[in-house]
Amino acid sequence: MEWWDESEDSLEEEPRKVLAPEPEEIWVAEMLCGLKMKLKRRRVSLVLPEHHEAFNRLLEDPVIKRFLAWDKDLRVSDKYLLAMVIAYFSRAGFPSWLYQRIHFFLALYLANDMEEDDEDSKQNIFHFLYGKNRSRIPLLRKRRFQLGRSMNPRARKNRSRIPLLRKRLQLRRCMNPRARKSRSQIVLFQKRRFHFFCSMSGRAWVSPEELEEIQAYDPEHWVWARDRARLS
């Protein structure tokens, strides 16, 4: 059963967005002592309440709920990566009502690109979007091929047939409509990820101060309990 969101097909042409301005810095009075004043530079946050509301609305999505419940080790969705999703919503500049399931996973995938090196765990996002665990498919094919060779003495001796077998396997994949659809879905996801990145003007890095500020907006929110430090 595939969890393909048919509403994604209607997102090919999204409404023209308003570019989010660059974050500004202001000077605020930190301490007064007689006639002396100590100033401190403070960054003005561009994250608005509507971005938090869009994030909370998407947390009620059944697919996102299953994804967060699956990631018990918090490999791809700890509190900092989820806070980056809210930051990306503010930087992309789309209306809050426009954000859907695909945008949540696009932002989370991009956050993992920036902060994590666990490529295999990140690929499981495709499983929840499209219904198949694609991170295991290459390993499964490799082990199936190795098992076939170990069971066939002739295959061990005649290695010249290996390229031919690989070519036949690729041809079989091309003839499979589901395989073609699966590849097209992933290609479309990567294309949208690039467009989402461009909509933020390439500003994908989020400072620790901004992440703490995002969490401080609603410090009792249950997602901020997704802390890897508590697992050890």
Side-chain angles (χ1 to χ4, degrees):
M1 181 176 181
E2 296 190 358
W3 298 108
W4 171 248
D5 188 358
E6 295 181 355
S7 62
E8 295 179 19
D9 296 334
S10 62
L11 295 178
E12 284 296 328
E13 296 184 0
E14 294 177 331
R16 181 173 297 178
K17 67 181 183 63
V18 179
L19 290 177
E22 294 285 345
E24 300 178 354
E25 292 183 344
I26 61 174
W27 291 92
V28 295
E30 185 181 38
M31 182 180 64
L32 293 175
C33 183
L35 298 178
K36 295 182 179 180
M37 178 184 298
K38 183 178 180 181
L39 298 178
K40 181 180 180 181
R41 182 176 294 179
R42 181 179 179 183
R43 186 186 58 82
V44 178
S45 175
L46 299 178
V47 179
L48 302 177
E50 62 189 45
H51 302 129
H52 289 272
E53 294 173 2
F55 176 78
N56 291 333
R57 171 173 55 83
L58 290 174
L59 291 179
E60 299 300 321
D61 183 280
V63 176
I64 295 177
K65 279 186 175 181
R66 280 191 290 270
F67 174 78
L68 295 178
W70 164 82
D71 189 20
K72 296 179 180 180
D73 295 331
L74 310 181
R75 293 180 179 272
V76 288
S77 61
D78 71 346
K79 64 177 183 178
Y80 295 111
L81 294 172
L82 292 174
M84 290 177 70
V85 171
I86 300 177
Y88 290 167
F89 282 179
S90 70
R91 296 180 183 185
F94 295 116
S96 60
W97 56 265
L98 180 65
Y99 291 112
Q100 300 180 26
R101 176 192 306 166
I102 183 65
H103 298 101
F104 177 91
F105 283 114
L106 285 171
L108 187 61
Y109 194 98
L110 183 57
N112 277 271
D113 279 343
M114 293 297 298
E115 300 294 334
E116 304 295 332
D117 296 324
D118 192 349
E119 189 70 22
D120 291 338
S121 296
K122 184 178 63 175
Q123 295 301 315
N124 283 287
I125 288 177
F126 296 128
H127 163 62
F128 287 89
L129 267 178
Y130 307 125
K132 291 183 180 180
N133 193 337
R134 304 178 192 284
S135 64
R136 297 183 180 180
I137 291 178
L139 180 60
L140 177 63
R141 287 175 176 164
K142 180 179 179 181
R143 289 180 175 175
R144 183 182 63 179
F145 182 75
Q146 291 174 344
L147 179 62
R149 288 182 58 192
S150 65
M151 295 174 62
N152 187 354
R154 293 183 179 179
R156 291 198 300 268
K157 295 180 180 179
N158 190 5
R159 296 191 177 185
S160 61
R161 299 183 59 186
I162 294 178
L164 179 60
L165 292 175
R166 289 177 178 173
K167 186 175 181 180
R168 289 179 179 175
L169 179 60
Q170 292 175 353
L171 180 61
R172 187 179 302 174
R173 289 177 57 192
C174 295
M175 296 175 63
N176 187 347
R178 289 188 177 182
R180 290 198 301 270
K181 181 178 180 181
S182 299
R183 288 196 302 274
S184 64
Q185 290 171 349
I186 295 179
V187 170
L188 179 60
F189 180 90
Q190 298 293 357
K191 180 180 179 181
R192 286 175 172 165
R193 179 174 65 103
F194 177 73
H195 289 166
F196 192 79
F197 176 76
C198 293
S199 70
M200 300 189 300
S201 302
R203 294 182 288 119
W205 183 78
V206 185
S207 67
E209 293 78 14
E210 186 173 359
L211 293 177
E212 295 294 339
E213 184 177 341
I214 290 173
Q215 296 177 56
Y217 176 81
D218 186 5
E220 301 300 324
H221 200 296
W222 62 268
V223 296
W224 309 140
R226 299 175 65 87
D227 191 350
R228 293 180 189 174
R230 297 183 179 182
L231 299 179
S232 57

